[in-house]
Amino acid sequence: MPRTARDVVFVDGARTPFGKAGKGLYAETRADDLVVRVIRELLRRNPGLPPERIDEVAIAATTQIGDQGLTIGRSAALLAGLPRSVPGYAIDRMCAGALTAVTTSGAGIAFGAYDVVIAGGVEHMGRHPMGEGVDPNPRFLSEKLVDPSALVMGNTAENLHDRYPSITKERADAYAVRSQEKVAKAYADGKIQQDLVEVLVRSAEQGYGLATADEPPRPGTTLEGLAQLKTPFRAHGNVTPGNAAGLNDGATGAVLAAEEVAAELGLDARMRLVDFSFAGVEPEVMGVGPVPATEKLLARQGLGMDDIGLIEINEAFAVQVLAFLEHFGIADDDARVNPWGGAIALGHPLASSGVRLMMQLARQFAERPDVRYGITTMCVGMGMGGTVLWENTNWEGNAK
């Protein structure tokens, strides 16, 4: 029989605190155990969801080896105690892994193949540095399919500064300071903590403890301090550790459901998935990827940027966010953009970050019934961008 698309809703999200790669919070914690902790927390927070009603577990990881391998969606589902009847899979779209896990499994819900899914991502950059085990085809360089700088993300950010000369280092640093300040305020106001799940951690020096807060934020960051940092990707360049996201560990997860199934089970419907779009750009300026992805999406929906009341954009690099804002004529300090700060302060464990953006947007929607639409968007390595359009189920216009 012909199928009609069903509405897909974001029910809930949870994440581990993000740690610093190397000797940070999760130096002695497995990546798959971080995913297990998130899955179990989602079930604890949503007692109306019978585990056997979960139709799929889609977990992203960029480096799918070691404790991030073995089809991590399925292995984490088993480790979390889900019924053996619940399948799972792994997915990779680099930084947009979790975002793609949501759009792919969400499309399955809309089609009718699933009723409820768990989608998320993990990256343990301490155990698995970006690029570990990869073997780029020599044709990329020998046939000049990409510029050599395309294979180093920091170099692509420097290239973006070249393309947008109006985006100076000072402007990027100023954006980074605001991100730190917004995260500090969000923590002080109790905005971030409600989506975090405590993780048992261990270190040789301190024994056992609990990870309860993000490790990367640097409260008190100043323009003067950032001005002193070195530019590791180019002599006298613009990109520094202060105006870019760091190397981080962490996991995220979300429950998505068909809207009528969420109602049947008594689950929250925090926001509605409207549409999504991915686009490719020149790999050497991968940071501009959110621009065409967003343009495609808005054009298809007949919307303009003025219709978007909240923008959660991943802060891989300050220049990448500023390029997006400049293209759409949005001020650097527009209140719609990352109201609670972003990855420059919170961290960016690659494949996990897309769902963090969604969690923050869903919380902001709950506080802003005047806002109907919001987007989550991010750039992706090898020259891509992805954008998801969400509708606020709490929008005051629904009552009219």
Side-chain angles (χ1 to χ4, degrees):
M1 295 180 62
R3 296 175 183 261
T4 57
R6 301 189 297 175
D7 284 336
V8 181
V9 294
F10 182 99
V11 171
D12 197 6
R15 70 176 178 90
T16 68
F18 290 167
K20 295 180 180 179
K23 296 182 179 180
L25 287 173
Y26 304 123
E28 298 189 33
T29 304
R30 291 177 59 97
D32 48 10
D33 284 337
L34 295 177
V35 182
V36 168
R37 189 71 186 91
V38 168
I39 293 174
R40 288 178 172 170
E41 178 67 7
L42 288 170
L43 292 174
R44 186 192 70 80
R45 294 186 187 186
N46 297 277
L49 174 59
E52 63 272 14
R53 290 295 300 271
I54 299 169
D55 294 307
E56 190 71 274
V57 177
I59 301 296
T62 302
T63 307
Q64 295 189 14
I65 59 177
D67 54 343
Q68 291 182 177
L70 200 61
T71 313
I72 192 166
R74 171 61 171 172
S75 58
L78 291 171
L79 291 165
L82 294 182
R84 293 176 182 270
S85 58
V86 178
Y89 65 97
I91 194 165
D92 172 25
R93 201 196 290 263
M94 292 189 173
C95 299
L99 187 147
T100 304
V102 166
T103 58
T104 301
S105 58
I109 294 173
F111 181 72
Y114 309 136
D115 283 342
V116 182
V117 302
I118 290 178
V122 64
E123 210 73 50
H124 199 308
M125 301 180 75
R127 284 175 173 261
H128 306 293
M130 185 164 48
E132 180 188 13
V134 302
D135 180 19
N137 195 300
R139 290 182 50 228
F140 279 124
L141 300 184
S142 64
E143 298 179 18
K144 298 183 178 180
L145 299 176
V146 300
D147 186 89
S149 62
L151 303 179
V152 179
M153 296 302 99
N155 289 343
T156 69
E158 289 286 8
N159 292 342
L160 204 52
H161 273 285
D162 295 340
R163 178 166 290 197
Y164 289 83
S166 60
I167 304 177
T168 62
K169 180 178 181 299
E170 291 73 23
R171 188 174 162 192
D173 285 349
Y175 181 88
V177 169
R178 283 194 298 275
S179 183
Q180 296 284 352
E181 291 172 344
K182 286 190 285 188
V183 164
K185 185 177 188 305
Y187 256 102
D189 293 342
K191 307 294 188 184
I192 304 294
Q193 298 91 324
Q194 51 197 328
D195 285 324
L196 300 182
V197 53
E198 295 179 345
V199 180
L200 180 67
V201 294
R202 179 188 179 279
S203 70
E205 296 80 15
Q206 299 181 1
Y208 289 95
L210 283 178
T212 61
D214 294 304
E215 190 176 22
R218 299 181 294 274
T221 296
T222 64
L223 280 173
E224 294 75 20
L226 294 187
Q228 305 305 313
L229 297 178
K230 295 181 179 179
T231 58
F233 302 104
R234 182 185 296 179
H236 310 295
N238 298 286
V239 179
T240 74
N243 59 33
L247 305 178
N248 306 108
D249 310 326
T252 61
V255 176
L256 307 173
E259 191 161 21
E260 66 267 26
V261 175
E264 171 202 339
L265 297 174
L267 303 174
D268 289 337
R270 298 175 183 231
M271 57 185 184
R272 187 175 296 109
L273 197 162
V274 179
D275 200 355
F276 61 88
S277 179
F278 294 92
V281 296
E282 304 100 305
E284 54 269 22
V285 285
M286 66 94 194
V288 79
V291 169
T294 303
E295 286 183 325
K296 284 174 60 177
L297 184 59
L298 294 180
R300 189 161 60 228
Q301 290 293 324
L303 299 172
M305 192 55 76
D306 289 343
D307 297 305
I308 307 302
L310 288 165
I311 299 168
E312 278 291 327
I313 180 169
N314 192 46
E315 298 171 354
F317 301 94
V319 62
Q320 156 254 315
V321 179
L322 293 170
F324 178 91
L325 299 182
E326 186 157 305
H327 177 86
F328 286 105
I330 301 171
D332 292 3
D333 59 353
D334 192 300
R336 294 177 294 171
V337 181
N338 294 359
W340 298 347
I344 289 174
L346 290 169
H348 174 31
L350 300 184
S352 69
S353 287
V355 166
R356 179 192 64 77
L357 301 176
M358 296 170 192
M359 286 188 284
Q360 293 193 187
L361 179 63
R363 293 288 184 187
Q364 291 155 16
F365 270 159
E367 297 181 0
R368 295 287 306 277
D370 59 306
V371 171
R372 182 177 186 181
Y373 293 118
I375 60 172
T376 52
T377 185
M378 60 200 314
C379 61
V380 190
M382 293 303 290
M384 293 181 284
T387 303
V388 186
L389 176 65
W390 300 91
E391 184 178 25
N392 187 0
T393 53
N394 193 44
W395 178 51
E396 59 194 11
N398 290 329
K400 296 177 181 179

